[in-house]
Amino acid sequence: MRKSKKVMKIAATVMALTMVLSACGKGGGNASVPSKESGANSKTEAAGDLPVLRVAMMPFITSLPTEYIKKNKLDEKAGFKMETVMFATGAPMNEALAADLWDVGAMGAAAVTGVANYDMMIIGEVLESTDGLGVFVKPDSAIAGAKGYNPSYPNVLGSPETVKGATILLPIGTAQHFTTLKWLEKLGLGITDVNIVNMDTAQAYQALQANQCDAVALNVPTFFEAVDDGMVQVGNLADLGTRYVDMVVANRKAVEGKPELVQKYMNCIMEACKALNEDTDMAADLMVEFLKEAGAETTRESCVSDLGRVQFITAEDWSNRELGSFARELGEFYISLGQLEPELIDKFDKNIDPEFVKNN
């Protein structure tokens, strides 16, 4: 099952790697969809004349704290009004930042692109996880049978011989891409040793099932489908020794022009994160409702599993955390692979502002 010839032809073009520089948060869509309550210049009747903060969202667990704020009107209680805009993934969210269409939001790997190319700022962190991201192959794959190549990571499967030349489907620039590169690193391989093809997560998994590729990188909920279907994880995020962090990000114009509103939003985010950690039943119900309203297919079981793999970051956590350490790791990792210019690492110092978590 080494390759689909048609897919292999596509790979050469993709490997020019629009990669991180056309990155997305999770998934592979490129269109933004305004939420029902969005509108850059509107004010709701309930909010009266409250100052407005434009908040970018995505239909993932990343945006659940913002949904909690909205449902419980924490913004209005704090003296401002959120106007939310829904984006399919991090790529269009980054592009919208370039057009000054939002003030604050949250995302994962796409923050590397935002910081490097759009002067986006990292002002907080919303959650971290060690599970729910992994590289999968079919049970009969030679990759699944190659055990113990790297004794420091005994649960990582594969070897240079079985992985070299493999076709791997994933949404480029995402958390899945990061996980895949970490997996290859543990096998002594790099991106030029395999054929990475850009594809939406759900479609990629269908291609694996149809024997049209060698491996796929998945996130939830497709991750759980693959586990249930008996697919073999060859590189789970936890087994690769990495914690994955979703970050609170901001438009520099908002940080410099209305810092008091940004601070209020961060305060609300931390209140929401604490509530979500403390009441898992409420969190699951809210997540089901949120995803269905956003048009995403889900089940309560899937939401419970997703919530079980993450820890929302609260105000108390910041006594032992350094803001931006994961973002820098991610940036340095992509620079080491030649996917970002070395001088861009300076952005990960200039564009990380810890004041909003310190002041909570």
Side-chain angles (χ1 to χ4, degrees):
M1 270 327 323
R2 182 48 70 200
K3 50 228 161 225
S4 157
K5 295 193 176 202
K6 189 171 186 180
V7 168
M8 288 281 290
K9 288 181 183 175
I10 301 170
T13 304
V14 175
M15 287 301 297
L17 278 168
T18 46
M19 188 173 170
V20 180
L21 303 181
S22 61
C24 47
K26 291 175 185 161
N30 289 317
S32 64
V33 182
S35 67
K36 293 177 183 177
E37 55 283 326
S38 70
N41 299 310
S42 65
K43 289 188 179 177
T44 67
E45 207 172 300
D49 293 326
L50 291 176
V52 169
L53 195 66
R54 302 168 301 167
V55 183
M57 300 179 71
M58 293 185 287
F60 307 111
I61 195 170
T62 306
S63 293
L64 193 61
T66 295
E67 180 69 6
Y68 180 91
I69 294 170
K70 186 170 67 174
K71 291 292 184 182
N72 291 278
K73 298 187 185 298
L74 298 187
D75 54 341
E76 294 179 31
K77 293 173 186 175
F80 72 103
K81 177 63 181 178
M82 294 193 309
E83 285 182 347
T84 59
V85 184
M86 187 72 74
F87 294 93
T89 65
M93 187 168 154
N94 276 333
E95 291 159 9
L97 178 65
D100 191 27
L101 296 180
W102 56 268
D103 298 317
V104 292
M107 61 169 66
V112 171
T113 303
V115 170
N117 296 336
Y118 300 105
D119 202 30
M120 187 172 73
M121 300 189 69
I122 296 171
I123 62 168
E125 292 169 350
V126 67
L127 63 83
E128 67 178 13
S129 61
T130 56
D131 199 4
L133 288 163
V135 182
F136 286 81
V137 300
K138 299 194 82 172
D140 59 356
S141 168
I143 298 172
K147 302 179 180 179
Y149 172 78
N150 188 333
S152 297
Y153 298 90
N155 294 325
V156 173
L157 305 182
S159 65
E161 294 74 25
T162 57
V163 174
K164 230 172 189 180
T167 295
I168 307 171
L169 308 185
L170 52 82
I172 282 177
T174 63
Q176 293 106 289
H177 200 163
F178 174 70
T179 302
T180 300
L181 297 178
K182 282 289 190 181
W183 171 59
L184 292 173
E185 181 186 65
K186 299 302 184 285
L187 300 177
L189 300 174
I191 56 174
T192 58
D193 294 311
V194 296
N195 304 297
I196 294 178
V197 179
N198 188 32
M199 189 173 290
D200 173 79
T201 303
Q203 292 176 333
Y205 184 48
Q206 291 171 2
L208 179 67
Q209 292 173 306
N211 298 319
Q212 294 175 348
C213 63
D214 299 298
V216 293
L218 305 176
N219 67 346
V220 294
T222 315
F223 176 97
F224 297 126
E225 292 178 28
V227 171
D228 291 342
D229 292 342
M231 299 298 172
V232 177
Q233 288 187 67
V234 295
N236 181 282
L237 189 67
D239 296 333
L240 297 169
T242 299
R243 285 181 177 272
Y244 190 84
V245 178
D246 283 358
M247 292 154 274
V248 183
V249 294
N251 186 329
R252 181 176 289 278
K253 291 181 180 179
V255 169
E256 295 177 350
K258 40 189 173 185
E260 70 288 345
L261 294 190
V262 174
Q263 183 67 65
K264 287 179 179 180
Y265 174 73
M266 181 58 68
N267 296 347
C268 289
I269 281 286
M270 293 193 193
E271 182 178 344
C273 285
K274 183 175 182 179
L276 293 169
N277 279 340
E278 291 177 348
D279 192 338
T280 54
D281 286 337
M282 174 276 292
D285 291 340
L286 180 66
M287 190 168 174
V288 171
E289 182 183 5
F290 168 53
L291 294 181
K292 287 185 175 178
E293 286 179 355
E297 291 186 14
T298 191
T299 64
R300 196 176 194 282
E301 181 182 18
S302 176
C303 290
V304 168
S305 296
D306 202 1
L307 287 161
R309 72 180 181 88
V310 308
Q311 181 72 18
F312 292 100
I313 297 167
T314 67
E316 291 74 17
D317 294 324
W318 286 106
S319 61
N320 297 310
R321 294 184 73 86
E322 179 189 354
L323 178 64
S325 58
F326 175 74
R328 289 188 187 92
E329 177 191 358
L330 203 55
E332 289 169 356
F333 184 66
Y334 284 135
I335 286 170
S336 73
L337 294 169
Q339 305 312 315
L340 286 178
E341 295 299 321
E343 60 269 19
L344 290 176
I345 196 62
D346 292 341
K347 289 278 191 82
F348 292 90
D349 292 320
K350 296 175 183 175
N351 288 35
I352 295 172
D353 187 348
E355 291 306 309
F356 296 98
V357 293
K358 285 182 181 177
N359 293 333
N360 190 272

